[in-house]
Amino acid sequence: MLVFIIYLVGIICNKDWAVRPAGLYSGWHMIEDFLGRTGLRILSGLLILLAIVLLSYLFLRSSILQ
């Protein structure tokens, strides 16, 4: 979960390593062409935030059940 939080901070701070990961022309680049850099940041930030919330929920749920 720490990796997701660091990635989310990178997206919020508009860091290239978070917004434009290295690699070949991938789906994220197509989304960036369609939505623009800000739209890509918003979309990927929401997805990462959703992952953080889901992981937190699963962790708390497993902790409470034990």
Side-chain angles (χ1 to χ4, degrees):
M1 190 157 72
L2 181 62
V3 173
F4 285 131
I5 293 171
I6 292 171
Y7 190 62
L8 182 63
V9 170
I11 290 170
I12 292 170
C13 294
N14 199 18
K15 299 294 182 183
D16 280 335
W17 54 264
V19 179
R20 280 187 185 206
L24 298 174
Y25 194 81
S26 64
W28 287 113
H29 291 95
M30 290 188 294
I31 293 172
E32 183 181 7
D33 290 342
F34 184 70
L35 297 176
R37 187 174 177 96
T38 303
L40 176 65
R41 287 177 57 212
I42 291 170
L43 179 66
S44 57
L46 289 175
L47 290 175
I48 294 297
L49 188 61
L50 180 67
I52 291 170
V53 168
L54 182 64
L55 286 174
S56 299
Y57 170 74
L58 292 174
F59 175 75
L60 290 174
R61 185 174 174 215
S62 66
S63 295
I64 292 171
L65 291 177
Q66 290 181 356

